Amino acid sequence: MKWQVILLIVLALFGGYLVISTATGLVEPVGRLGLVKLANPDMYPGHPHSQLLAEYATERGSKCALVVHFAGDSNYRSYMEGDVYIIEMAFIDTSGTGAEGPTDYMDSLKLAFFGVPDGRYKFKADGQTFNNWNDARKHIKKLAAKNGQQGPIPMVWHGTARSGNPIIVQGCGFPLYFYITWQEYGPVAAYYYTIKGILTPYLNLPFRNYELQHASELQYYYTHHMLDYQ
């Protein structure tokens, strides 16, 4: 009985820490945004995933939202979706296999348990490259302040899987979401918000059934440039 009381106290303290820290921190980790691409680019004004992210922000009374990606050819420019300012940021893994390469699962486990070594990640946003998280963080804060943000910025990882089973493959930006949460709130919070975030699309994504049922088709269309919008 005593251990159960201790466990409840620990959980209560941990829950209180998460509530207080995220309420006063840079970001509010929300989770995975989408499962597969519906258009390319799909983080673009008027597109479904972009509109959904703006809804998440509006529900929280936020004027900004942050979506994180694997770095590709894009400049990851921020833009307005209705009344919400969407901040985009991508990461470059200088020791990884890239967005299109095979996943190194042993390396991923090391990063999950021990964190990302300093200097391994670089960051892209608004046509700029940042060599460290501090500089990238300042850029996010500057944009948010300029657009009247008060309180934490809702943060999602893009989540679209270009191949494989999207239930298993966590998609674009997953490592950066974990990394930012670790940097801002520590490893335990990173594990908690990542697990919680994996469930987000199954609870909140209005077109999850369509994306899951047509995942292989949409992935084929995307990789063969049949979803290109412009």
Side-chain angles (χ1 to χ4, degrees):
M1 193 68 180
K2 187 180 292 185
W3 70 267
Q4 292 173 323
V5 174
I6 294 172
L7 178 61
L8 287 173
I9 292 172
V10 170
L11 290 174
L13 290 172
F14 176 63
Y17 161 75
L18 290 179
V19 170
I20 294 170
S21 60
T22 54
T24 58
L26 175 67
V27 295
E28 176 196 346
V30 175
R32 185 179 184 180
L33 182 61
L35 299 168
V36 292
K37 280 184 177 288
L38 299 173
N40 185 43
D42 51 0
M43 293 312 300
Y44 191 84
H47 285 199
H49 290 151
S50 179
Q51 291 177 326
L52 178 62
L53 179 54
E55 288 178 21
Y56 286 166
T58 301
E59 288 169 359
R60 291 162 172 79
S62 179
K63 294 185 177 182
C64 298
L66 172 64
V67 56
V68 297
H69 306 268
F70 284 117
D73 295 333
S74 171
N75 286 323
Y76 301 98
R77 295 198 179 277
S78 305
Y79 63 91
M80 293 297 300
E81 179 64 72
D83 295 328
V84 176
Y85 191 67
I86 306 294
I87 302 170
E88 296 197 80
M89 180 160 285
F91 80 104
I92 303 164
D93 186 348
T94 59
S95 300
T97 56
E100 298 184 28
T103 301
D104 184 339
Y105 289 102
M106 287 303 297
D107 181 59
S108 297
L109 283 173
K110 288 179 183 177
L111 298 181
F113 285 119
F114 303 111
V116 178
D118 290 342
R120 175 162 172 170
Y121 284 0
K122 294 185 178 182
F123 308 88
K124 288 178 68 176
D126 296 296
Q128 302 178 62
T129 299
F130 304 94
N131 290 323
N132 57 72
W133 170 238
N134 284 338
D135 289 343
R137 189 181 194 276
K138 288 176 184 176
H139 180 73
I140 293 171
K141 288 188 69 175
K142 181 179 178 181
L143 291 177
K146 185 178 178 181
N147 286 275
Q149 178 68 24
Q150 295 182 348
I153 306 165
M155 176 181 69
V156 299
W157 78 88
H158 191 193
T160 52
R162 64 179 67 206
S163 62
N165 186 336
I167 296 175
I168 298 170
V169 179
Q170 291 303 306
C172 178
F174 177 61
L176 183 52
Y177 177 92
F178 180 80
Y179 172 83
I180 292 174
T181 307
W182 182 308
Q183 291 295 310
E184 295 298 313
Y185 307 118
V188 178
Y191 299 139
Y192 169 77
Y193 281 116
T194 298
I195 293 170
K196 180 174 176 285
I198 288 171
L199 301 176
T200 298
Y202 304 102
L203 300 174
N204 299 316
L205 180 62
F207 17 88
R208 63 184 176 277
N209 291 338
Y210 177 81
E211 291 189 30
L212 288 171
Q213 290 167 8
H214 299 277
S216 59
E217 300 164 47
L218 290 166
Q219 288 169 337
Y220 176 87
Y221 295 155
Y222 168 66
T223 55
H224 288 77
H225 308 289
M226 298 166 69
L227 295 179
D228 291 357
Y229 185 73
Q230 61 173 18

